[in-house]
Amino acid sequence: MDSARTHTSPPDDVRFTAPAGRALATEAVHAGRDDLAAQGLHAPPIDLSTTYPSYDSRGEAARIDAFAATGAEPDGPPVYGRLGNPTVARFETALARLEGTEAAVAFASGMAALSAVLLVRGSMGLRHVVAVRPLYGCSDHLLTAGLLGSEVTWTDPAGVADALRPDTGLVLVESPANPTLAEVDLRAVAHACGSVPLLVDNTFATPVLQRPAEHGARLVLHSATKYLGGHGDVLAGVVACDEEFAGRLRQVRFATGGVLHPLAGYLLLRGLSTLPVRVRAASANAADLAGRLAADLRVARVHYPRIGGAMVSFEVHGDPHAVIAGVRLITPAVSLGSVDTLIQHPASISHRIVDADDRRGAGVGDRLLRLSVGLEDVDDLWADLDRALGERAAGAVSPREALSRAD
């Protein structure tokens, strides 16, 4: 939630319970790996095969026919790398367990995942999308440009029900939103959707802080490039959903070829094992920095969500480009969710592709900076930000300093 001078600490003792009754932290370590010990393995194997031998061509044909009919994962050994991969399947199983859904389907990128969802609904003649700004800039562009034949109606959360049409195939929200960190009442929006599937982009929150399926979302989207991978070395996307929708997504993935490479699947499964620890530690740093920024007179406004998290956005009184140019420890780069801290200017990069008036109308102003907080020492991060923000006006003191002097 937006805050001019306040911030909220992240939840310290949240214990989400997985369907199997195990805590989220336990699932993060063990989901997708349950069969390893019985095989005499500790680390998951990486299957790099693109094709698999089979001497039973009649049986192979039957399995391919079954996949064509329902999109269900074929029984027995794998068939072909574009149809599915055992290493990627481990990641999909784990992510579905963390999100509390029946299934998950992984793709080569977050945009490939979103595109697949739109193609599934469009193939049913349901090309109209209701969406709430702000969204990630490329998601916004994909909808606005109609590149996949979709038509979009932009609305605020309260207007979702009125925006629905007979051909509406999807309602799309992102909460907390990129880059303003605005939050949406997911349960209220899900209720307003009626029978239309609600897709929630849960990239910023991750299942550590929020599980949208528990609030009525049918589809949960992640740019897995971000927190799920967590180390800035993998490009991926994933949709967590029910098995029926997953089958349709697998069929689109097979037809379009937006598959995830097995090595990426392995890195993502490894990333999930530390996801709760990384999110909690980075969130603590982010809450601390949000408080320091809110108390600084060089900062006009701070945005930090009520549910916590590792993202902070803030608007400066001075030149935001000078802040970008001035950091030395923090990396000026796109993307987010890595172990190191990144900063970027959304109006210039991540949301540049969005029409300027629409961008500003969604709260993405020209002085807004987005900070993805990592795992460094928070005092080192603040020292870098403090230096990059530049000199304060002569005689000006922050509220924090004023309080310190009074003591």
Side-chain angles (χ1 to χ4, degrees):
M1 182 168 227
D2 291 357
S3 172
R5 290 292 167 196
T6 60
H7 68 286
T8 306
S9 297
D12 293 321
D13 300 314
V14 174
R15 179 186 167 92
F16 286 126
T17 301
R22 301 192 300 203
L24 186 88
T26 304
E27 286 294 295
V29 172
H30 290 280
R33 304 168 179 83
D34 306 85
D35 63 327
L36 293 180
Q39 299 182 56
L41 299 173
H42 185 241
I46 306 175
D47 187 331
L48 294 173
S49 298
T50 57
T51 191
Y52 299 87
S54 173
Y55 292 97
D56 181 7
S57 56
R58 289 187 180 88
E60 202 85 330
R63 293 200 297 149
I64 291 174
D65 286 346
F67 176 82
T70 66
E73 294 180 288
D75 294 327
V79 178
Y80 182 57
R82 188 153 45 84
L83 196 148
N85 173 272
T87 306
V88 172
R90 289 182 181 278
F91 163 67
E92 292 171 330
T93 297
L95 193 276
R97 292 261 284 275
L98 294 184
E99 283 289 2
T101 59
E102 292 178 342
V105 183
F107 295 85
S109 70
M111 291 308 301
L114 177 58
S115 296
V117 173
L118 294 174
L119 288 171
V120 166
R121 300 304 282 167
S123 71
M124 302 169 69
L126 303 170
R127 299 184 179 277
H128 179 243
V129 177
V130 174
V132 175
R133 279 190 172 119
L135 296 175
Y136 168 53
C138 288
S139 299
D140 189 308
H141 176 67
L142 181 64
L143 295 175
T144 303
L147 296 175
L148 297 178
S150 58
E151 178 189 350
V152 62
T153 296
W154 296 101
T155 185
D156 57 33
V160 166
D162 291 337
L164 299 178
R165 305 187 328 205
D167 63 337
T168 302
L170 191 69
V171 175
L172 175 57
V173 302
E174 185 174 359
S175 182
N178 186 353
T180 65
L181 305 178
E183 296 175 275
V184 174
D185 184 337
L186 298 181
R187 193 174 299 279
V189 172
H191 179 75
C193 290
S195 61
V196 177
L198 170 63
L199 184 152
V200 176
D201 188 328
N202 202 35
T203 299
F204 277 22
T206 81
V208 176
L209 299 177
Q210 169 179 274
R211 297 205 288 186
E214 295 179 347
H215 301 285
R218 184 178 180 188
L219 307 164
V220 182
L221 175 72
H222 286 272
S223 172
T225 306
K226 312 308 193 298
Y227 289 103
L228 303 189
H231 292 77
D233 55 8
V234 60
L235 196 68
V238 64
V239 179
C241 56
D242 57 75
E243 177 55 36
E244 180 185 357
F245 206 100
R248 302 296 301 271
L249 288 173
R250 293 188 196 105
Q251 290 176 320
V252 167
R253 182 177 64 182
F254 176 73
T256 59
V259 297
L260 184 66
H261 192 274
L263 180 57
Y266 172 84
L267 291 172
L268 288 167
L269 185 63
R270 186 174 70 171
L272 288 185
S273 64
T274 60
L275 178 67
V277 177
R278 287 187 285 105
V279 169
R280 283 196 293 267
S283 297
N285 276 352
D288 189 307
L289 290 178
R292 299 192 198 203
L293 289 166
D296 196 298
L297 297 181
R298 295 166 295 181
V299 176
R301 188 174 184 85
V302 174
H303 308 268
Y304 188 67
R306 290 186 182 275
I307 64 169
M311 300 298 299
V312 180
S313 292
F314 59 99
E315 300 164 39
V316 295
H317 289 297
D319 180 5
H321 301 286
V323 179
I324 295 288
V327 293
R328 292 296 177 265
L329 174 65
I330 297 168
T331 302
V334 298
S335 201
L336 56 106
S338 186
V339 291
D340 61 318
T341 301
L342 308 176
I343 192 170
Q344 67 119 325
H345 182 241
S348 295
I349 304 180
S350 64
H351 289 70
R352 188 68 180 178
I353 201 167
V354 180
D355 176 81
D357 289 339
D358 291 336
R359 185 171 68 231
R360 295 185 185 110
V364 188
D366 294 337
R367 294 184 183 273
L368 182 73
L369 292 167
R370 192 191 73 187
L371 191 67
S372 171
V373 182
L375 304 180
E376 302 95 337
D377 183 90
V378 71
D379 289 330
D380 289 334
L381 291 173
W382 176 246
D384 196 40
L385 273 178
D386 185 35
R387 181 172 53 252
L389 284 167
E391 295 296 326
R392 297 174 182 165
V397 296
S398 71
R400 183 182 293 244
E401 289 171 328
L403 236 114
S404 174
R405 292 182 186 183
D407 292 342

